[in-house]
Amino acid sequence: MTDLMPALEAIVRDAGALMRSAFDAPERPAYSLKGQQDYLTETDGAVEQFVRDQIARHFPGDGVLGEEAGGALDAARLWIVDPIDGTANFARQIPHFCISLGLMVDRQVVAGAIYEPMHDELYIAQLGRGAWLNGKRMRVSTVGELTAATVEVGWSTRIPVATYLDMAGKAAHAGCSVRRAGSGSLGLAYVAAGRTEGYAEPHINAWDVAAGLLLVTEAGGQVNDFWADGGLRVGNQILATNAALATQLSVLTSIPLMP
Ligand code: IPD
Ligand code: CA
């Protein structure tokens, strides 16, 4: 397969520039709530439209699934975009958000990029070609003890509070440092970059993870079979981990990993 990374990089960098200029504008971005704690700004829609236009221009005929405008799922070549992952952070002027863009071909993610515009960090991967952070090869961490591990446990109002607290509590009782930074995509990118040892969440959507799953596996980590049981359509639970803690984190979260 041809090198898809230059095209991906160009799209997410330009999308990131749109986000950054909205973030840096004198007025705080106006937001509405799609539901409890589910933020939406004008920039989410504008960035998604920009990405759709770029894909139509450079890859005519490909399908697009986006967080804001949806899309048909049956295309053999399907781009999956979260225009702003971490929208609550973006709306609150917290500089921890990103765009996530992945390409699935015949139901397999073959390329993905996450761009975090406020720190100019580009995480990018292509199947069999490795995962890269600003041009440097990424590898998952080698930490093999839960008492030295940092694990992010994601949260949303889509699942009962008790389910989230149970997962986070088990990680904390096992000795992990538990964090929640509000962007599942960046949570996965951090595992790939070796900044944290794991990311787990009881339910997350395809646009949050399409790129990040590939980043983690190309960086030598392990993930669950997110795409099983209709993950593309309705989301799924997720676990991404370094290799050294794979078994322990799988047992702790009760989420089976792929070999
Ligand atoms: C959310 C974030 C959050 C994760 C949720 C997502 P949004 O996406 O990634 O960290 O825990 O599951 O829905 O609303 O910021 O695009
Ligand atoms: Ca998201």
Side-chain angles (χ1 to χ4, degrees):
M1 185 172 274
T2 54
D3 186 356
L4 293 159
M5 291 191 276
L8 261 175
E9 175 172 351
I11 296 172
V12 298
R13 278 192 184 279
D14 288 350
L18 292 177
M19 282 182 231
R20 185 170 181 140
S21 67
F23 187 88
D24 287 340
E27 323 79 44
R28 271 188 167 212
Y31 65 81
S32 56
L33 290 175
K34 291 188 273 185
Q36 194 194 332
Q37 296 291 345
D38 194 1
Y39 285 73
L40 179 67
T41 70
E42 263 182 26
T43 312
D44 291 81
V47 171
E48 183 165 319
Q49 191 54 53
F50 170 80
V51 172
R52 286 176 182 275
D53 292 346
Q54 294 301 306
I55 289 168
R57 194 170 140 211
H58 297 289
F59 303 96
D62 285 8
V64 182
L65 169 68
E67 172 165 14
E68 306 310 336
L73 304 179
D74 47 5
R77 284 173 55 93
L78 182 65
W79 296 83
I80 304 178
V81 58
D82 190 338
I84 304 182
D85 187 58
T87 304
N89 287 342
F90 177 82
R92 293 172 171 280
Q93 295 273 286
I94 297 170
H96 187 79
F97 54 86
C98 64
I99 174 169
S100 170
L101 180 61
L103 172 62
M104 261 191 152
V105 176
D106 297 330
R107 292 293 178 268
Q108 182 180 27
V109 181
V110 297
I114 289 173
Y115 182 58
E116 199 270 73
M118 304 312 291
H119 299 94
D120 188 28
E121 290 193 322
L122 174 73
Y123 307 82
I124 194 161
Q126 185 164 340
L127 191 63
R129 292 181 185 235
W132 307 84
L133 167 53
N134 286 352
K136 205 171 152 198
R137 186 94 193 233
M138 286 195 285
R139 303 269 182 215
V140 293
S141 94
T142 54
V143 170
E145 288 167 9
L146 291 173
T147 50
T150 291
V151 174
E152 181 162 357
V153 181
W155 166 84
S156 79
T157 54
R158 297 182 299 273
I159 50 120
V161 173
T163 307
Y164 163 73
L165 290 178
D166 181 55
M167 193 177 274
K170 281 181 176 149
H173 281 299
C176 300
S177 163
V178 180
R179 54 184 262 131
R180 186 179 88 79
S183 164
S185 300
L186 284 176
L188 296 178
Y190 276 27
V191 175
R195 292 175 175 176
T196 61
E197 279 62 52
Y199 184 91
E201 184 163 346
H203 177 270
I204 198 161
N205 285 305
W207 42 80
D208 299 306
V209 301
L213 289 166
L214 184 65
L215 291 174
V216 172
T217 53
E218 286 292 320
Q222 282 181 246
V223 299
N224 65 315
D225 187 4
F226 174 84
W227 306 106
D229 307 321
L232 178 62
R233 199 168 36 86
V234 293
N236 206 340
Q237 59 186 356
I238 187 162
L239 173 62
T241 158
N242 72 357
L245 282 170
T247 305
Q248 291 177 76
L249 286 178
S250 177
V251 169
L252 191 149
T253 57
S254 307
I255 301 178
L257 290 165
M258 291 192 295

